Amino acid sequence: MSAMPSAAAKPAESYDVVVVGAGFAGMYMLHRLRGQGMTARVYEQGSGVGGTWYWNRYPGARCDVESMQYSYSFSEELQQEWDWSERYAPQPEILKYANHVADRFNLRPDIQFNTTVERAVFDEATNLWSVATSDGNTAMARFFVLATGCLSNARMPDIKGIDRFEGKVYHTGHWPHEEVDFTGLRVGVIGTGSSAIQSVPIIAEQASQLTVFQRTANFSIPARNAALTEEERQSFRSRYPEIRQFAREVARNGIYTEMPDRGALDDGDNERRSKYEARWASGGLTFMSVYNNLALEQAANDTAANFVREKIAEIVRDPQTAKLLQPNNHPIGSKRICIDTDYFKTFNRPNVTLVDIKSTPIEEITDNAVRTGAKDYEVDALVLATGFDAMTGSVAKIDIHGRDGQTLNDKWVAGPRTYLGLMSAGFPNLFVITGPGSPSVLSNMIVSIEQHVDWIADCVSYMRDNGLDTMEAAVEAEDKWVAHVNEVAYATLYPQANSWYMGANVPGKPRIFMPYIGGVGPYRQICNDVAAKGYEGFVMAGVEQPRKAAAS
């Protein structure tokens, strides 16, 4: 397989690779493919780059990974030149960074915006993917790469009467590009996940009355966000080689932090509380790294969960409200833990009300109110912080046909099946970046994105160099990997939570633990070993040779 001629000389709509999505995954994939002399076309449904950070513009939107770590590492110049302003970058700054990357590496000429990929069909006669887009055109490509993102398909709640509500309705995952002003309005927020936890304090400062409708309380740790000094930035930059290596190879979640050497019950009560207090004071996701068994043993987890519940009770003045805000139906960390700025404190404001919709569910939306079993709550505007159809939702929107006409949606009807989270048997030359069965959402996403993109880029280069036309996951390897992903997950406390990791937030979606919880470092080593053994567990074939499994 050789690179095709340049876009100007080749037949229209014909590429080596078609990529779906121009977020951080799609942009880096394009950059790597170009570097290998391959032609690529990226289709993006938005009008700009940034993916998650293009769509999620709700008040208070920030990354929960520190900005100096939530950034590309593939370019040393990029690492050194970009100045992050805060410990946790706000959405506008992350989007500005994404646009800087697109411009710095001149990516836009190969990205087609405002275009949705609707259908993709693998032609077994030509070994090409036929990709149909919303503009009525079709592109042909040897490889089809899904960089659709894990949290990019916003989930609209199925609530009776929502279409007749006379006020404005906003979804945190599809926020308007212009500023929304809630000054003087009665606002209802439905949901208390990460987007609500970030936006509620901001909305409360504007609204005349804010009513938060909570079904499930969530654990949240203070962010302790602050401006970064030039000294802090330079210190981080000078240590980037060490930090990046640690994130890739040592840290389980791709985040540089101090690693625990003991379990929670190995310390006495006073020492343990002192450590929790120190992490609470420093803030952020590393709270869960105090001890090495918080995700494994219930008794250990209880010590951390009880500590956070006590903190909530200390912050929230009204005992009944504090009790409602204390999570009690899942281990801490078994849902992605949230980080916040004054979330719990916001419920001390006289204009903020918390409504428990677990005991009194929402029955319907009227023209001017949210109706529960107890009463009508009149609102002028609604904010739906109801999350995403995570990990598989954006893939499912594309009608993908593999061998023998099988659709990916049919294959995944009982839950996603992949080998390494990268490929699915029966769908040759189709790669998924940070797909189900990989660490993805359990990690610093950019660390996982770069690892997947590099692996895919190296793989297609290997195929070109060895005259190979097709590659797909072997059924046996896929079965073993799915079993391994589940075995590792069920050795932890994670499956105890009805989380979006399990697809539990989407009615009717199969309950299966989707990400790989074995750790970023071990997963990277597994992928490297597979490649070193001639892509063990994959089926590869050239034009003249029959398909056969790679050597085991």
Side-chain angles (χ1 to χ4, degrees), residues 2-12 14-17 37-40 110 464:
S2 59
M4 296 181 181
S6 67
K10 66 180 175 53
S14 181
Y15 309 96
D16 290 331
V17 188
M38 303 184 77
T39 59
D110 292 320
R464 177 175 59 185

Side-chain angles (χ1 to χ4, degrees), residues 28 58 71 87 124 138 201 203 229 289 303 315 348-349 373 383-384 392 406 413 420 433 455 490 528:
Y28 183 43
Y58 58 84
S71 55
R87 180 182 178 187
E124 297 185 57
T138 300
I203 296 173
T229 66
S289 301
T303 66
I315 295 167
N348 293 331
R349 296 177 63 105
V383 174
L384 306 177
T392 58
Q406 182 185 31
V413 69
L420 303 178
I433 300 176
W455 194 94
Y490 280 88
N528 289 347

Side-chain angles (χ1 to χ4, degrees), residues 20 102 220 434 468:
V20 186
S220 188
T434 63
L468 298 165

Side-chain angles (χ1 to χ4, degrees), residues 159-160 162 165 186-190 211-213 355 357 360-384:
I159 302 175
K160 179 183 175 183
I162 198 166
F165 180 67
R186 299 168 300 176
V187 181
V189 173
I190 298 176
T211 306
V212 179
F213 297 90
V355 177
I357 57 172
T360 55
I362 295 174
E363 294 179 356
E364 64 177 322
I365 308 293
T366 70
D367 56 0
N368 68 342
V370 178
R371 177 171 294 164
T372 70
K375 62 180 288 189
D376 281 9
Y377 296 88
E378 292 188 358
V379 291
D380 304 307
L382 272 177
V383 174
L384 306 177

Side-chain angles (χ1 to χ4, degrees), residues 179-239:
E179 186 176 352
V180 177
D181 186 3
F182 292 110
T183 300
L185 299 181
R186 299 168 300 176
V187 181
V189 173
I190 298 176
T192 51
S194 181
S195 56
I197 283 172
Q198 289 183 331
S199 61
V200 158
I202 310 295
I203 296 173
E205 292 176 354
Q206 298 178 356
S208 62
Q209 175 65 40
L210 173 62
T211 306
V212 179
F213 297 90
Q214 172 187 277
R215 184 181 61 185
T216 305
N218 268 305
F219 289 102
S220 188
I221 308 297
R224 310 296 186 199
N225 190 39
L228 287 172
T229 66
E230 183 56 28
E231 291 74 21
E232 287 172 325
R233 285 193 289 264
Q234 287 301 339
S235 172
F236 218 96
R237 287 180 181 134
S238 68
R239 294 181 292 123

Side-chain angles (χ1 to χ4, degrees), residues 19 51 71 75 183 223 227 238 305 350 397 403 534 546:
V19 180
S71 55
S75 165
T183 300
S238 68
K397 289 197 296 186
R403 291 195 185 278

Side-chain angles (χ1 to χ4, degrees), residues 268-459:
D269 291 349
N270 291 340
E271 177 65 17
R272 184 169 56 245
R273 183 165 189 89
S274 176
K275 288 183 178 179
Y276 286 145
E277 289 282 7
R279 289 296 177 102
W280 183 268
S282 63
L285 295 177
T286 60
F287 179 85
M288 292 302 294
S289 301
V290 180
Y291 293 108
N292 58 22
N293 62 344
L294 295 185
L296 303 174
E297 298 176 23
Q298 188 67 57
N301 188 279
D302 287 343
T303 66
N306 288 334
F307 174 85
V308 175
R309 291 187 193 108
E310 290 171 14
K311 285 296 185 184
I312 296 169
E314 290 175 13
I315 295 167
V316 182
R317 290 195 290 263
D318 177 62
Q320 186 176 356
T321 302
K323 188 173 182 180
L324 285 175
L325 289 166
Q326 292 172 320
N328 56 24
N329 70 344
H330 64 279
I332 187 170
S334 58
K335 291 186 174 186
R336 187 172 178 111
I337 200 164
C338 301
I339 64 170
D340 71 272
T341 299
D342 295 334
Y343 174 68
F344 296 115
K345 186 179 177 182
T346 298
F347 290 92
N348 293 331
R349 296 177 63 105
N351 67 326
V352 177
T353 302
L354 181 66
V355 177
D356 176 21
I357 57 172
K358 190 166 191 176
S359 59
T360 55
I362 295 174
E363 294 179 356
E364 64 177 322
I365 308 293
T366 70
D367 56 0
N368 68 342
V370 178
R371 177 171 294 164
T372 70
K375 62 180 288 189
D376 281 9
Y377 296 88
E378 292 188 358
V379 291
D380 304 307
L382 272 177
V383 174
L384 306 177
T386 48
F388 302 88
D389 185 352
M391 300 197 71
T392 58
S394 296
V395 175
K397 289 197 296 186
I398 306 171
D399 184 20
I400 299 173
H401 294 249
R403 291 195 185 278
D404 302 320
Q406 182 185 31
T407 70
L408 192 61
N409 282 338
D410 282 345
K411 180 181 176 181
W412 285 9
V413 69
R417 301 186 64 80
T418 71
Y419 178 39
L420 303 178
L422 282 159
M423 301 192 91
S424 195
F427 295 82
N429 296 358
L430 167 61
F431 294 98
V432 186
I433 300 176
T434 63
S438 72
S440 62
V441 292
L442 292 175
S443 68
N444 176 349
M445 284 299 299
I446 296 192
V447 172
S448 289
I449 283 169
E450 287 189 325
Q451 186 251 329
H452 263 196
V453 168
D454 288 339
W455 194 94
I456 294 167
D458 291 346
C459 177

Side-chain angles (χ1 to χ4, degrees), residues 118-150:
E118 297 179 337
R119 180 179 169 90
V121 179
F122 182 73
D123 185 335
E124 297 185 57
T126 62
N127 291 329
L128 294 175
W129 280 95
S130 173
V131 182
T133 51
S134 56
D135 60 358
N137 292 323
T138 300
M140 305 300 295
R142 177 71 63 199
F143 298 99
F144 185 47
V145 179
L146 298 176
T148 47
C150 297

